[in-house]
Amino acid sequence: MTFAGGAALAYWKNARETGASAAPEPTRTPTPKRVASPRPSPSPTPTPKPKPSPSPSPKKTTVPKSGAGTFTTAQAAGDAVGSGTLRRYRVQVEDGIDISAREAAKEIQEILAHPQGWAAHGRGRFQLVSENADFVIRIATPDTADRLCLAQGLNTHGELNCETTQGVVVNLKRWMLGSPTFAGPPSEYRHLIINHEVGHEIGIRQHMSCPGPGKLAPVMQQQIKGLNGCRSNAYPYDEDGSYITGPVVP
């Protein structure tokens, strides 16, 4: 198409105003915004649990091997318990050992009054006194116990108790520690000591042995020397009131 002078100018002017010949702008797809992924929160550092303090080791009981050789008599007395022949006893503790004579006398008094003991079954009446006693119960260090027992021809080897013409000698080691053959605490083993030696005092001179596997050992068995299949036992009578016996040791 050919335009002359002014007509051409008019055409281009009109085209600009109407945009007829303007090329359309390309459509731009907006770039999506990147959304930052949330950063994971760091796991909390676990607070270390405090380590438990080690339990203190049990205090070891120390038993002196020897003592002064002199004794303190418990200044205590009580009512007679049981039935039968009255036997008055006093309690003595060797000087210099950490045992109260009065407390020991109280414990022995309770042992002799136990419902499975001699007094509860007519084998004697026992009364704690501080003087004019029929026999004495002495708690002595191993060396002193050996000396007192050996005077009666009994060798206790620093380990055993004995019964003498004056009464009962209790080895402090056994009183405090019990026995490795006895399945019970020393407090229970003390019943066996007193019941065994007082058994001799009331006239049971011979020892007994185990009556059979699994049965209760007689109180007159020397249980510290071995149970021979029996169960350790500290009382002359069982809970039903039956006397626990066994074959007599020749």
Side-chain angles (χ1 to χ4, degrees):
M1 183 186 304
T2 303
F3 297 96
L9 180 62
Y11 172 82
W12 291 112
K13 182 178 180 181
N14 183 54
R16 282 188 189 147
E17 290 175 355
T18 61
S21 64
E25 294 184 3
T27 303
R28 293 183 180 179
T29 303
T31 303
K33 294 182 178 180
R34 294 184 62 185
V35 179
S37 300
R39 294 182 180 178
S41 301
S43 300
T45 303
T47 304
K49 293 183 180 180
K51 293 183 179 180
S53 301
S55 301
S57 300
K59 186 176 180 181
K60 186 177 180 180
T61 302
T62 302
V63 179
K65 185 174 181 293
S66 60
T70 57
F71 292 84
T72 293
T73 299
Q75 297 303 304
D79 297 330
V81 295
S83 59
T85 303
L86 176 63
R87 291 180 172 85
R88 295 165 297 179
Y89 66 94
R90 59 179 174 163
V91 174
Q92 295 182 331
V93 172
E94 187 170 1
D95 295 323
I97 64 176
D98 192 21
I99 292 180
S100 160
R102 190 178 186 87
E103 289 300 314
K106 180 182 177 182
E107 187 168 359
I108 291 170
Q109 189 178 29
E110 292 172 353
I111 289 172
L112 290 174
H114 192 277
Q116 290 173 246
W118 299 117
H121 296 274
R123 299 300 293 266
R125 294 169 65 215
F126 301 97
Q127 183 179 17
L128 174 64
V129 296
S130 58
E131 56 186 14
N132 299 322
D134 297 304
F135 69 99
V136 60
I137 298 175
R138 289 175 172 167
I139 300 175
T141 57
D143 282 356
T144 301
D146 280 355
R147 177 174 57 81
L148 294 173
C149 295
L150 192 58
Q152 301 291 310
L154 302 169
N155 193 340
T156 46
H157 306 285
E159 297 288 338
L160 308 177
N161 315 291
C162 74
E163 188 258 343
T164 71
T165 53
Q166 290 185 322
V168 173
V169 177
V170 177
N171 187 313
L172 178 65
K173 186 175 182 179
R174 300 278 72 88
W175 183 265
M176 297 299 297
L177 304 181
S179 165
T181 63
F182 190 83
S187 58
E188 186 180 357
Y189 189 74
R190 291 169 198 158
H191 284 254
L192 176 57
I193 294 173
I194 299 302
N195 287 324
H196 182 98
E197 301 304 339
V198 170
H200 288 315
E201 189 67 33
I202 64 177
I204 304 174
R205 308 311 307 171
Q206 292 178 299
H207 288 127
M208 297 177 183
S209 60
C210 176
K215 294 186 178 181
L216 290 174
V219 81
M220 297 312 299
Q221 179 177 341
Q222 291 180 295
Q223 296 181 39
I224 193 172
K225 293 184 177 181
L227 295 172
N228 299 321
C230 270
R231 292 180 288 137
S232 56
N233 165 56
Y235 309 99
Y237 296 83
D238 65 18
E239 293 180 349
D240 296 327
S242 299
Y243 181 51
I244 301 168
T245 187
V248 173
V249 176

